[in-house]
């Protein structure tokens, strides 16, 4: 294998229309079985400074000051809630956002990317058989990683900023030293494309998802295969772990997502509701705002069913009692959530503990290839084959912003942990950074 890097600035800038909003830990990917491979292109070399020690332990508390000044989260919240409080009312039209920066250098489709926990670096993976490391603030290409024998389908960064993991059409995953570009480990065991992968919060384990219909848990450093998660009937397209490392979620071409116990390998529940492939999954350990969507969903269901008959006067409750019960009901809806994106053109939000579907997000005109949830639990980001990405409020279920600028479909989306930036990767061979 060879590693080359470059100081050449390959990024371009474009005008931006301001907006505000989102970020959390997730992982997603989508597949293209008919893709034709193209030869990769080499770049040159540079070293990167190690990430700040302060970002190595708690990924939820990272702050970023090297990019543009932060927009107060209260303004983002007000804009999201002012549009509408009911899915039946149209509210304000979503804000159209244009990219601040474009990352140019790959010679084929960008299939996946990851943002470092400290927000300083972006890694992209491509069908050109390479991964690239970029400076987020300048758009400068720092390093190119060569070593796989075929297309790259997935990338992941460790929270501590030391490691890069890549998954490929060559049926292997690899672990790299992000500082030097050295290959540290190759994971061999899958019998088909490694479509997705993720590194746990503590850099102990790697999870891979494959077209061989399985997911696998590996010891990150030794490369030992620990266990196989077998239960899907078609290709596993996406994997994601909970922050505590106890649970794994997989999404597959069998139209379902599944929740697994990492230590035992046992399936806990199946999330069924999509009509086509589940391409992407994202987790959030606790969402205090999803309760309102439960209420909106119930109201929507009642509208469809018609007004229910009033109960007898002897069983009616007072207005104050109703308000009290409603408050209690909403407070109990502070739950861990799962988001899924599908080829049925929708994304769904689920209660991870019960498997109940909370809400369906409709608005894209083609497949949703990728989803992400903001770290503050207030926004969902979706990327689609319709060449756009959309930001949605998890309080109202409404579309807040639309990101327009790619010339081919969007394969992957991520929100920075400070909820200030979105990065999208596309089949137009570029990645773009957007301020939200």
């Amino acid at each position: 294998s060879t590693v080359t890097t470059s100081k050449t600035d390959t990024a371009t800038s474009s005008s931006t229309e301001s907006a505000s909003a989102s970020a959390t830990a997730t992982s997603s990917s989508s597949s293209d079985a008919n893709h034709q491979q193209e030869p990769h292109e080499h770049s040159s070399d540079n070293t990167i400074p190690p990430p700040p020690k302060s970002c190595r332990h708690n990924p939820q508390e990272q702050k970023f000051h090297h990019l543009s000044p932060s927009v107060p989260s209260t303004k983002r919240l007000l804009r999201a809630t002012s549009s509408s409080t009911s899915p039946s009312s149209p509210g304000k039209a979503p804000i159209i956002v244009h990219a601040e920066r474009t990352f140019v250098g790959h010679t084929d489709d960008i299939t996946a990317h990851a943002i470092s926990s400290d927000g300083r670096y972006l890694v992209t993976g491509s069908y050109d058989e390479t991964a690239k490391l970029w400076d987020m603030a300048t758009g400068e290409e720092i390093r190119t990683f060569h070593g796989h024998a075929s297309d790259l389908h997935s990338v992941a960064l460790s929270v501590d900023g030391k490691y890069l993991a890549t998954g490929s059409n060559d049926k292997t995953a690899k672990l790299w030293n992000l500082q030097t570009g050295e290959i540290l480990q190759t994971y061999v065991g899958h019998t088909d494309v490694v479509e997705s992968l993720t590194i746990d919060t503590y850099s102990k384990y790697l999870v891979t998802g494959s077209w061989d219909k399985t997911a696998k848990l590996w010891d990150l450093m030794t490369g030992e295969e620990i266990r196989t998660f077998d239960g899907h009937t078609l290709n596993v397209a996406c994997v994601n772990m909970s922050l505590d490392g106890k649970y794994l979620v997989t999404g597959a071409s069998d139209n379902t997502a599944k929740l697994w116990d990492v230590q035992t390998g046992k399936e806990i529940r199946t999330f069924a509701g999509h009509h086509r492939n589940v391409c992407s999954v994202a987790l959030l350990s606790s969402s205090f705002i999803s309760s309102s969507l439960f209420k909106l969903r119930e109201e929507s269901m009642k509208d469809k069913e018609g007004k229910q008959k009033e109960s007898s006067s002897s069983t009616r409750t007072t207005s104050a009692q109703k308000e009290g019960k409603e408050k209690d009901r909403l407070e109990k809806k502070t739950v861990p959530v799962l988001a899924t994106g599908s080829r049925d053109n929708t994304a769904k939000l689920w209660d991870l503990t019960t498997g109940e579907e909370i809400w369906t997000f409709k608005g894209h005109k083609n497949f949703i290839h990728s989803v992400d949830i903001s770290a503050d639990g207030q926004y969902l980001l979706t990327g689609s084959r319709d060449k756009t990405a959309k930001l949605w409020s998890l309080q109202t279920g409404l579309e807040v912003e639309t990101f327009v600028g790619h010339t081919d479909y969007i394969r992957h989306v991520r929100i920075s942990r400070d909820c200030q930036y979105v990065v999208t990767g596309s089949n137009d061979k570029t990645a773009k950074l957007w301020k939200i």
Side-chain angles (χ1 to χ4, degrees), residues 12 24 35 56 70 93 106 122 158 191 196 214 225 254 278 291-292 296 324 342-343 373 386 391-392 407 416 421 431:
T12 62
T24 192
H35 172 74
R56 296 188 176 185
S70 297
H106 282 291
L122 171 71
S158 61
T191 58
S196 58
T214 72
E225 181 182 328
D254 60 13
V278 174
S291 57
S292 61
L296 291 173
S342 170
R343 287 195 171 202
I373 304 176
D386 66 13
L391 192 70
W392 311 79
T407 59
S416 63
Y421 294 91

Side-chain angles (χ1 to χ4, degrees), residues 303-334:
D303 288 340
K304 292 180 180 179
E305 296 171 358
K307 293 183 179 179
Q308 298 180 347
K309 294 181 179 180
E310 293 183 356
S311 59
S312 62
S313 57
S314 60
T315 59
R316 290 176 183 170
T317 57
T318 66
S319 177
Q321 288 174 323
K322 287 181 179 179
E323 290 177 1
K325 288 184 178 181
E326 177 67 5
K327 181 179 179 181
D328 291 341
R329 185 182 71 82
L330 293 179
E331 288 177 350
K332 291 176 183 177
K333 290 299 182 181
T334 303

Side-chain angles (χ1 to χ4, degrees), residues 226-237:
I226 300 172
R227 69 177 45 87
T228 298
F229 303 86
D230 193 352
H232 284 290
T233 58
L234 290 172
N235 304 351
V236 173

Side-chain angles (χ1 to χ4, degrees), residues 320-427:
Q321 288 174 323
K322 287 181 179 179
E323 290 177 1
K325 288 184 178 181
E326 177 67 5
K327 181 179 179 181
D328 291 341
R329 185 182 71 82
L330 293 179
E331 288 177 350
K332 291 176 183 177
K333 290 299 182 181
T334 303
V335 295
V337 293
L338 165 69
T340 54
S342 170
R343 287 195 171 202
D344 64 12
N345 302 358
T346 72
K348 291 181 182 291
L349 190 70
W350 312 78
D351 183 330
L352 198 61
T353 59
T354 66
E356 179 184 1
E357 181 183 324
I358 301 172
W359 197 253
T360 298
F361 301 84
K362 299 178 180 180
H364 281 293
K365 298 177 181 178
N366 212 323
F367 306 163
I368 292 180
H369 285 292
S370 184
V371 297
D372 197 12
I373 304 176
S374 64
D376 59 13
Q378 295 193 35
Y379 299 96
L380 172 70
L381 178 67
T382 55
S384 171
R385 189 176 282 240
D386 66 13
K387 305 177 187 178
T388 71
K390 294 180 183 292
L391 192 70
W392 311 79
S393 168
L394 292 185
Q395 290 196 349
T396 66
L398 297 173
E399 180 183 345
V400 179
E401 294 176 349
T402 298
F403 304 90
V404 177
H406 281 292
T407 59
D408 206 336
Y409 61 85
I410 293 176
R411 295 290 294 268
H412 208 252
V413 295
R414 281 291 176 268
I415 309 172
S416 63
R417 293 181 190 271
D418 64 349
C419 307
Q420 299 301 314
Y421 294 91
V422 162
V423 176
T424 55
S426 170
N427 274 27

Side-chain angles (χ1 to χ4, degrees), residues 268-285:
I268 299 173
R269 69 176 46 87
T270 297
F271 302 84
H274 284 293
H275 304 299
R276 295 194 66 184
N277 311 33
V278 174
C279 299
S280 181
V281 293
L283 293 174
L284 188 64
S285 59

